[in-house]
Every structure is written in C-alpha cells, then in structure tokens.
Amino acid sequence: MAGRIGAGAVGLLVVASAPAAAEPADGQGEPLVGVSLNGVEGPVEPGEEVRFRITVANSDRDSMEQALLAQHVPDDMEIVSAGRDGVVEGDIANWVVDVPPGEDAEYTVTARLGEDARPGSQLGSTACLLLEREAEPTACATEDVPVAEETAVAKAAGAVDGESALRVAGAGLVLLLAWLLWRQRGFFLAR
C-alpha cells in the first residue's frame, strides 16, 4: 500500500527548487504546512553517498495526523536507508507523518549515486507531502545533486582499458630497449 501511495505522490510531483507550502483557506497569512529538502553540499562523486534531510512544518492550529510523505530519487541513485521507520520501495522512501501544531518533524534519506552517473549532470530528488491518501500533494520540494566532473586522472584511467594498457607498456618497453642500445652504442664509439 505504501508503494501505491509513493507512486501516486511521484506521479503528481510538483517540481520546485525551493520549499513549497499549502496556503490557508482564506488565502492570507502564513502557510499551514510545508516541506523543505536539503543536505547536499557541493558536487558528489559517482558511487558516493549523500544524505537528504526532509523537514515537515505544521504551522496550523490543528495536528497533522496520518499524512503521507514520499521522497523519490532519480534512476542514477539508489536509496540506502530511510530514517524514522521509513519504508523503502524501489526508488521511493515513504513515511506516515504526525506533526503537532506549531512543530516540525525531520526525516532522513541516505542515497548512493550510481557508478555510471554522468559527470557534470544534476540529479533532482523530490519530496512531497499528502495530507490525505487520495489527495494531490499539499507541498513538495526538490534538491538537486550535482555530479562531480571527471578529473584528468579519471579520464585517463577510463581511456586506458586492459588491452590499451598492454600496448602502452609494450611500446614503453621497446622505447626503453632502444634507448639502452643507443647508449651502449655511444659508449663503444667513445672508446
């Protein structure tokens, strides 16, 4: 059931780069509930883990009970763990959320970038809050994960596979032998 909830939330994602919140019924004043997603500090290398922190804020007078929170990660990431009894199904972490009035609740997701994540790309992870099971998301937030650029050493290592390395080593050995023979020849000519 949590998978359908998470899949429904993902299907209705509202992508935003800043925290989003639901407006009060009268359209004035502070938002009643909100979601923020953060935790990524700078570029991440393929294969490294990143920890997201999701904050659900309830500034309403009423308690938020049995709301549903879902965080989706892109294909180039896999969820390693979800804190506070989160349920992981594929690339979605789900929670049932209860937040008293005027308080915040924090949830965490640890994800690992795939080894084949494209250097220099941005991977977006989105968290959405549904106040009711069949409702549209009330609030969503997205955090971009920049994948680190390849270093010159990594590019060179990627360019040299096993067969190429053998060819380079062979060519180096031939050059070394040629240099040694040239030095020997010069030694005998000087006598």
Side-chain angles (χ1 to χ4, degrees):
M1 179 146 97
R4 283 188 288 165
I5 294 166
V10 171
L12 299 170
L13 289 179
V14 177
V15 178
S17 60
E23 292 295 327
D26 63 4
Q28 297 178 355
E30 291 296 312
L32 300 179
V33 295
V35 174
S36 64
L37 178 64
N38 55 44
V40 180
E41 300 284 332
V44 180
E45 296 284 334
E48 283 187 342
E49 291 184 359
V50 62
R51 186 174 179 168
F52 295 99
R53 190 174 64 251
I54 309 143
T55 305
V56 178
N58 181 7
S59 57
D60 195 357
R61 292 183 303 260
D62 297 325
S63 192
M64 182 190 314
E65 295 178 1
Q66 302 294 301
L68 305 171
L69 177 64
Q71 181 177 353
H72 177 270
V73 297
D75 291 339
D76 287 338
M77 281 187 188
E78 74 171 307
I79 296 176
V80 175
S81 66
R84 288 186 70 169
D85 299 324
V87 177
V88 176
E89 292 185 18
D91 56 359
I92 303 170
N94 297 286
W95 296 267
V96 175
V97 178
D98 296 317
V99 184
E103 293 190 22
D104 298 344
E106 190 171 286
Y107 301 85
T108 59
V109 168
T110 302
R112 182 180 303 116
L113 268 67
E115 292 292 338
D116 57 346
R118 196 177 85 235
S121 64
Q122 296 277 334
L123 304 176
S125 179
T126 301
C128 285
L129 177 71
L130 286 79
L131 294 179
E132 297 175 13
R133 289 194 186 280
E134 301 300 322
E136 290 190 28
T138 302
C140 293
T142 297
E143 175 81 1
D144 286 330
V145 178
V147 181
E149 293 284 344
E150 276 187 311
T151 62
V153 173
K155 286 180 184 177
V160 179
D161 59 6
E163 188 175 317
S164 296
L166 188 58
R167 286 183 186 150
V168 169
L173 184 58
V174 168
L175 288 174
L176 177 63
L177 288 173
W179 180 75
L180 287 173
L181 287 173
W182 178 78
R183 294 278 306 191
Q184 287 288 337
R185 183 178 152 283
F187 176 73
F188 287 120
L189 288 177
R191 286 186 163 196

